[in-house]
mmCIF file of all heavy atoms in Angstrom:
data_model
loop_
_atom_site.group_PDB
_atom_site.id
_atom_site.type_symbol
_atom_site.label_atom_id
_atom_site.label_comp_id
_atom_site.label_asym_id
_atom_site.label_seq_id
_atom_site.Cartn_x
_atom_site.Cartn_y
_atom_site.Cartn_z
ATOM 1 N N ALA A 81 -41.329 -33.806 52.355
ATOM 2 C CA ALA A 81 -41.745 -34.808 51.428
ATOM 3 C C ALA A 81 -40.627 -35.825 51.273
ATOM 4 O O ALA A 81 -39.536 -35.607 51.515
ATOM 5 C CB ALA A 81 -42.093 -34.142 50.059
ATOM 6 N N HIS A 83 -39.693 -38.585 48.167
ATOM 7 C CA HIS A 83 -39.903 -39.032 46.815
ATOM 8 C C HIS A 83 -38.921 -40.060 46.361
ATOM 9 O O HIS A 83 -37.756 -39.853 46.741
ATOM 10 C CB HIS A 83 -39.822 -37.772 45.873
ATOM 11 C CG HIS A 83 -40.947 -36.877 45.950
ATOM 12 N ND1 HIS A 83 -41.928 -36.869 45.018
ATOM 13 C CD2 HIS A 83 -41.242 -35.881 46.803
ATOM 14 C CE1 HIS A 83 -42.837 -35.990 45.276
ATOM 15 N NE2 HIS A 83 -42.427 -35.332 46.365
ATOM 16 N N GLY A 87 -39.369 -39.961 40.915
ATOM 17 C CA GLY A 87 -40.269 -38.742 41.032
ATOM 18 C C GLY A 87 -41.586 -39.059 41.781
ATOM 19 O O GLY A 87 -42.320 -38.162 42.143
ATOM 20 N N MET A 89 -44.147 -39.566 44.562
ATOM 21 C CA MET A 89 -44.291 -39.120 45.879
ATOM 22 C C MET A 89 -44.578 -40.308 46.856
ATOM 23 O O MET A 89 -45.581 -41.034 46.559
ATOM 24 C CB MET A 89 -45.363 -38.083 45.997
ATOM 25 C CG MET A 89 -45.462 -37.331 47.348
ATOM 26 S SD MET A 89 -46.715 -37.933 48.384
ATOM 27 C CE MET A 89 -48.149 -37.831 47.432
ATOM 28 N N THR A 92 -45.897 -36.833 51.942
ATOM 29 C CA THR A 92 -45.736 -35.300 51.877
ATOM 30 C C THR A 92 -46.533 -34.708 53.090
ATOM 31 O O THR A 92 -47.537 -35.292 53.528
ATOM 32 C CB THR A 92 -46.106 -34.763 50.550
ATOM 33 O OG1 THR A 92 -45.603 -33.395 50.460
ATOM 34 C CG2 THR A 92 -47.525 -34.795 50.231
ATOM 35 N N PHE A 96 -48.100 -29.475 50.453
ATOM 36 C CA PHE A 96 -46.740 -29.446 49.835
ATOM 37 C C PHE A 96 -46.626 -30.345 48.680
ATOM 38 O O PHE A 96 -46.719 -31.508 48.889
ATOM 39 C CB PHE A 96 -45.738 -29.765 50.950
ATOM 40 C CG PHE A 96 -44.287 -29.525 50.508
ATOM 41 C CD1 PHE A 96 -43.797 -28.317 49.953
ATOM 42 C CD2 PHE A 96 -43.328 -30.481 50.768
ATOM 43 C CE1 PHE A 96 -42.513 -28.115 49.599
ATOM 44 C CE2 PHE A 96 -42.073 -30.318 50.426
ATOM 45 C CZ PHE A 96 -41.616 -29.134 49.839
ATOM 46 N N GLN A 97 -46.504 -29.794 47.490
ATOM 47 C CA GLN A 97 -46.525 -30.584 46.260
ATOM 48 C C GLN A 97 -45.170 -30.317 45.578
ATOM 49 O O GLN A 97 -44.983 -29.189 45.126
ATOM 50 C CB GLN A 97 -47.696 -30.252 45.360
ATOM 51 C CG GLN A 97 -48.952 -30.680 46.027
ATOM 52 C CD GLN A 97 -50.147 -30.520 45.138
ATOM 53 O OE1 GLN A 97 -50.060 -29.966 43.988
ATOM 54 N NE2 GLN A 97 -51.329 -30.932 45.570
ATOM 55 N N VAL A 98 -44.392 -31.358 45.352
ATOM 56 C CA VAL A 98 -43.129 -31.246 44.563
ATOM 57 C C VAL A 98 -43.340 -32.037 43.333
ATOM 58 O O VAL A 98 -43.772 -33.324 43.380
ATOM 59 C CB VAL A 98 -41.999 -31.848 45.407
ATOM 60 C CG1 VAL A 98 -40.692 -31.739 44.587
ATOM 61 C CG2 VAL A 98 -41.853 -31.121 46.767
ATOM 62 N N ASP A 99 -43.147 -31.513 42.163
ATOM 63 C CA ASP A 99 -43.546 -32.179 40.913
ATOM 64 C C ASP A 99 -42.339 -32.946 40.493
ATOM 65 O O ASP A 99 -41.251 -32.901 40.888
ATOM 66 C CB ASP A 99 -44.080 -31.290 39.817
ATOM 67 C CG ASP A 99 -43.042 -30.373 39.264
ATOM 68 O OD1 ASP A 99 -41.866 -30.683 39.129
ATOM 69 O OD2 ASP A 99 -43.413 -29.248 38.831
ATOM 70 N N LYS A 100 -42.664 -33.942 39.593
ATOM 71 C CA LYS A 100 -41.622 -34.904 39.090
ATOM 72 C C LYS A 100 -40.464 -34.205 38.525
ATOM 73 O O LYS A 100 -39.353 -34.753 38.605
ATOM 74 C CB LYS A 100 -42.277 -35.890 38.179
ATOM 75 C CG LYS A 100 -43.174 -36.893 38.845
ATOM 76 C CD LYS A 100 -43.674 -37.972 37.928
ATOM 77 C CE LYS A 100 -44.488 -38.950 38.598
ATOM 78 N NZ LYS A 100 -44.893 -40.177 37.762
ATOM 79 N N LYS A 101 -40.675 -33.169 37.718
ATOM 80 C CA LYS A 101 -39.533 -32.398 37.154
ATOM 81 C C LYS A 101 -38.553 -31.885 38.181
ATOM 82 O O LYS A 101 -37.358 -31.891 38.052
ATOM 83 C CB LYS A 101 -40.044 -31.288 36.210
ATOM 84 C CG LYS A 101 -40.657 -31.779 34.937
ATOM 85 C CD LYS A 101 -40.988 -30.574 34.086
ATOM 86 C CE LYS A 101 -41.607 -30.956 32.736
ATOM 87 N NZ LYS A 101 -42.088 -29.825 31.938
ATOM 88 N N GLU A 102 -39.140 -31.307 39.277
ATOM 89 C CA GLU A 102 -38.391 -30.827 40.358
ATOM 90 C C GLU A 102 -37.507 -31.932 41.010
ATOM 91 O O GLU A 102 -36.294 -31.836 41.299
ATOM 92 C CB GLU A 102 -39.254 -30.113 41.452
ATOM 93 C CG GLU A 102 -39.804 -28.870 40.855
ATOM 94 C CD GLU A 102 -40.830 -28.237 41.903
ATOM 95 O OE1 GLU A 102 -41.430 -28.987 42.633
ATOM 96 O OE2 GLU A 102 -41.030 -27.004 41.872
ATOM 97 N N VAL A 103 -38.143 -33.062 41.191
ATOM 98 C CA VAL A 103 -37.472 -34.250 41.826
ATOM 99 C C VAL A 103 -36.378 -34.732 40.934
ATOM 100 O O VAL A 103 -35.275 -34.993 41.326
ATOM 101 C CB VAL A 103 -38.458 -35.441 42.196
ATOM 102 C CG1 VAL A 103 -37.706 -36.653 42.564
ATOM 103 C CG2 VAL A 103 -39.431 -34.944 43.162
ATOM 104 N N LEU A 106 -33.483 -32.552 41.159
ATOM 105 C CA LEU A 106 -32.744 -32.687 42.454
ATOM 106 C C LEU A 106 -31.869 -33.975 42.438
ATOM 107 O O LEU A 106 -30.744 -33.997 42.857
ATOM 108 C CB LEU A 106 -33.742 -32.743 43.608
ATOM 109 C CG LEU A 106 -34.428 -31.421 43.907
ATOM 110 C CD1 LEU A 106 -35.544 -31.679 44.911
ATOM 111 C CD2 LEU A 106 -33.551 -30.412 44.349
ATOM 112 N N ARG A 122 -35.391 -25.676 42.946
ATOM 113 C CA ARG A 122 -36.831 -25.521 42.863
ATOM 114 C C ARG A 122 -37.516 -26.661 43.502
ATOM 115 O O ARG A 122 -37.280 -27.835 43.299
ATOM 116 C CB ARG A 122 -37.256 -25.445 41.413
ATOM 117 C CG ARG A 122 -36.835 -24.170 40.732
ATOM 118 C CD ARG A 122 -37.751 -23.845 39.613
ATOM 119 N NE ARG A 122 -37.383 -22.578 38.971
ATOM 120 C CZ ARG A 122 -37.700 -21.350 39.404
ATOM 121 N NH1 ARG A 122 -38.654 -21.297 40.368
ATOM 122 N NH2 ARG A 122 -37.339 -20.260 38.783
ATOM 123 N N VAL A 123 -38.326 -26.290 44.469
ATOM 124 C CA VAL A 123 -39.036 -27.280 45.285
ATOM 125 C C VAL A 123 -40.466 -26.591 45.622
ATOM 126 O O VAL A 123 -40.569 -25.502 46.121
ATOM 127 C CB VAL A 123 -38.363 -27.508 46.659
ATOM 128 C CG1 VAL A 123 -39.168 -28.375 47.534
ATOM 129 C CG2 VAL A 123 -36.957 -28.215 46.461
ATOM 130 N N GLY A 124 -41.391 -27.351 45.245
ATOM 131 C CA GLY A 124 -42.876 -26.908 45.497
ATOM 132 C C GLY A 124 -43.180 -25.634 44.748
ATOM 133 O O GLY A 124 -44.014 -24.872 45.179
ATOM 134 N N GLY A 125 -42.548 -25.427 43.560
ATOM 135 C CA GLY A 125 -42.723 -24.150 42.740
ATOM 136 C C GLY A 125 -41.971 -22.998 43.310
ATOM 137 O O GLY A 125 -42.115 -21.868 42.719
ATOM 138 N N ILE A 158 -35.318 -39.399 48.033
ATOM 139 C CA ILE A 158 -34.781 -38.113 48.586
ATOM 140 C C ILE A 158 -35.794 -37.544 49.566
ATOM 141 O O ILE A 158 -37.029 -37.689 49.468
ATOM 142 C CB ILE A 158 -34.484 -37.092 47.493
ATOM 143 C CG1 ILE A 158 -35.814 -36.703 46.681
ATOM 144 C CG2 ILE A 158 -33.441 -37.489 46.517
ATOM 145 C CD1 ILE A 158 -35.644 -35.475 45.770
ATOM 146 N N ILE A 160 -37.046 -34.182 51.551
ATOM 147 C CA ILE A 160 -36.994 -32.697 51.310
ATOM 148 C C ILE A 160 -37.717 -32.095 52.575
ATOM 149 O O ILE A 160 -38.714 -32.452 52.986
ATOM 150 C CB ILE A 160 -37.906 -32.309 50.126
ATOM 151 C CG1 ILE A 160 -37.304 -32.975 48.851
ATOM 152 C CG2 ILE A 160 -37.897 -30.748 49.959
ATOM 153 C CD1 ILE A 160 -38.319 -32.885 47.645
#
Side-chain angles (χ1 to χ4, degrees):
H83 285 259
M89 188 261 303
T92 191
F96 187 49
Q97 295 183 355
V98 181
D99 71 34
K100 287 185 177 187
K101 286 183 182 180
E102 292 173 333
V103 173
L106 294 172
R122 289 208 178 270
V123 173
I158 60 168
I160 302 167

